[in-house]
Amino acid sequence: MQATATIEAGPAQQSYALPRTEGPPEPVQAPDAPPQWRDLGLSSMSAMLVVSLSRAGSRSFQAVCQWPRWHPLNEHSLAVTHHPLIIVESTRQLAALAESRYLPATDTTPLRPTSVALGTDPETQPVETGGATDVAVRVTTSDLAVRSGRLTGYRITAEYFHAGRRFGVCSMVFATTSHAVQEPGAGTLTSLLHPAAPAVGAAADPDVLLARAPQGRLVIVPRDPTHPVLLHGNPRELPLHAVLEAGRQATLLYQGRPASAVVGLAAQLRGPVPCRGAVIDVAPEENGARFLVTAEGRDVASGTVTLSGA
């Protein structure tokens, strides 16, 4: 079976099939100095997923990631299939390292991810029964936008390999953003009912991002407002990877499918998404669903979830 993900942002749509015949990237040169957790915008070394990154061409790189079995988002079981957001976070960390070492300098306003798409092949994803999974990564950067000698945007694409087989690909677009997020007023988020973690494909209740409002609408209200992965650093607005996770959870809730059915995810920010109170609607499609996030009557994010055998 092949899985396909579509990038909705950027100058052209791209889709990725995941053939199982292609081998892992060949090492081109010795890795550069090991990354430091501060280089990746992390609060501690325990959150690091990237082990090394080295240049393979003018816009291509080879990398190694290590994914701990006991990552906070993973199921706590004897055999663990890693949560898809680990691919997204690895790609973000690779982008941060590439920015600091290889790409043109950015302006004072930091670049942030504005769209993301990933596809996975459930038949080739690694299953971890030990301590951690070592993953080889082929990384490319493209669509670099430079203004007055400063980097203002780019796309990074990361292909993930394990045991010689490609099992996932993630593409992320970075750009400058300047938003003013508006939180809902006091008293507008009361009498909420959170779904159980298994109903939304979450490993534990603190990972649940959704709640049902009294009027029946599904809203984004994280059960853990300081979640170490989804809301790292107590952000003022919901980061892109958390929007992606909210769309994944909402689709699984509506479709009644297990987390293992997800083979593709995509999301695009259109404006600031408040950390609490945004409404998320799901529209079923032939191969999954499309979701739309609204806040104060405005469309602020959208995305798709692709399901196997849907």
Side-chain angles (χ1 to χ4, degrees), residues 158-202:
E159 301 171 85
Y160 292 86
F161 298 81
H162 179 72
R165 307 169 81 184
R166 183 168 63 168
F167 66 89
V169 59
C170 180
S171 183
M172 192 175 292
V173 173
F174 285 77
T176 56
T177 59
S178 57
H179 298 308
V181 65
Q182 187 172 4
E183 295 283 357
T188 60
L189 296 175
T190 58
S191 303
L192 299 173
L193 179 63
H194 293 278
V200 296

Side-chain angles (χ1 to χ4, degrees), residues 1-82:
M1 179 189 303
Q2 290 187 340
T4 301
T6 300
I7 301 172
E8 297 182 340
Q13 289 191 348
Q14 302 178 29
S15 54
Y16 298 106
L18 303 183
R20 296 189 293 275
T21 57
E22 187 173 352
E26 295 293 334
V28 174
Q29 62 181 46
D32 292 344
Q36 301 298 313
W37 54 269
R38 293 182 180 85
D39 300 335
L40 309 180
L42 304 174
S43 58
S44 70
M45 187 172 64
S46 63
M48 283 185 60
L49 300 174
V50 176
V51 175
S52 66
L53 178 70
S54 60
R55 186 184 291 279
S58 60
R59 289 288 181 263
S60 61
F61 310 88
Q62 309 288 8
V64 174
C65 292
Q66 190 173 78
W67 295 346
R69 174 186 173 194
W70 300 116
H71 188 278
L73 293 178
N74 281 345
E75 294 282 351
H76 295 169
S77 57
L78 293 178
V80 170
T81 300
H82 295 284

Side-chain angles (χ1 to χ4, degrees), residues 11-299:
Q13 289 191 348
Q14 302 178 29
S15 54
Y16 298 106
L18 303 183
R20 296 189 293 275
T21 57
E22 187 173 352
E26 295 293 334
V28 174
Q29 62 181 46
D32 292 344
Q36 301 298 313
W37 54 269
R38 293 182 180 85
D39 300 335
L40 309 180
L42 304 174
S43 58
S44 70
M45 187 172 64
S46 63
M48 283 185 60
L49 300 174
V50 176
V51 175
S52 66
L53 178 70
S54 60
R55 186 184 291 279
S58 60
R59 289 288 181 263
S60 61
F61 310 88
Q62 309 288 8
V64 174
C65 292
Q66 190 173 78
W67 295 346
R69 174 186 173 194
W70 300 116
H71 188 278
L73 293 178
N74 281 345
E75 294 282 351
H76 295 169
S77 57
L78 293 178
V80 170
T81 300
H82 295 284
H83 193 287
L85 255 64
I86 296 178
I87 298 179
V88 176
E89 173 59 12
S90 296
T91 305
R92 187 206 66 78
Q93 291 186 18
L94 288 165
L97 192 56
E99 272 190 42
S100 65
R101 293 187 175 181
Y102 302 111
L103 300 185
T106 60
D107 210 338
T108 54
T109 303
L111 302 182
R112 300 177 59 190
T114 58
S115 73
V116 61
L118 68 93
T120 62
D121 187 337
E123 296 185 20
T124 59
Q125 287 191 73
V127 175
E128 184 56 59
T129 57
T133 304
D134 291 323
V135 178
V137 193
R138 177 186 292 130
V139 183
T140 57
T141 56
S142 59
D143 302 335
L144 268 68
V146 179
R147 182 181 302 130
S148 301
R150 295 286 180 172
L151 184 66
T152 60
Y154 67 97
R155 182 191 302 269
I156 187 169
T157 302
E159 301 171 85
Y160 292 86
F161 298 81
H162 179 72
R165 307 169 81 184
R166 183 168 63 168
F167 66 89
V169 59
C170 180
S171 183
M172 192 175 292
V173 173
F174 285 77
T176 56
T177 59
S178 57
H179 298 308
V181 65
Q182 187 172 4
E183 295 283 357
T188 60
L189 296 175
T190 58
S191 303
L192 299 173
L193 179 63
H194 293 278
V200 296
D205 286 342
D207 301 339
V208 175
L209 294 177
L210 307 177
R212 186 75 69 180
Q215 64 272 28
R217 303 211 73 176
L218 199 62
V219 294
I220 298 176
V221 180
R223 294 204 68 166
D224 181 0
T226 60
H227 194 283
V229 177
L230 300 173
L231 297 169
H232 166 68
N234 195 22
R236 297 185 60 183
E237 60 189 78
L238 207 66
L240 177 63
H241 65 274
V243 173
L244 192 70
E245 174 64 5
R248 187 189 74 96
Q249 292 187 11
T251 298
L252 293 177
L253 182 65
Y254 272 105
Q255 301 279 45
R257 300 290 301 279
S260 59
V262 176
V263 296
L265 292 168
Q268 178 180 359
L269 295 179
R270 302 180 181 179
V273 181
C275 286
R276 290 172 54 85
V279 175
I280 184 165
D281 294 301
V282 176
E285 294 188 333
E286 181 179 359
N287 296 317
R290 185 171 296 274
F291 64 89
L292 178 67
V293 181
T294 58
E296 300 295 328
R298 304 186 310 274
D299 296 347

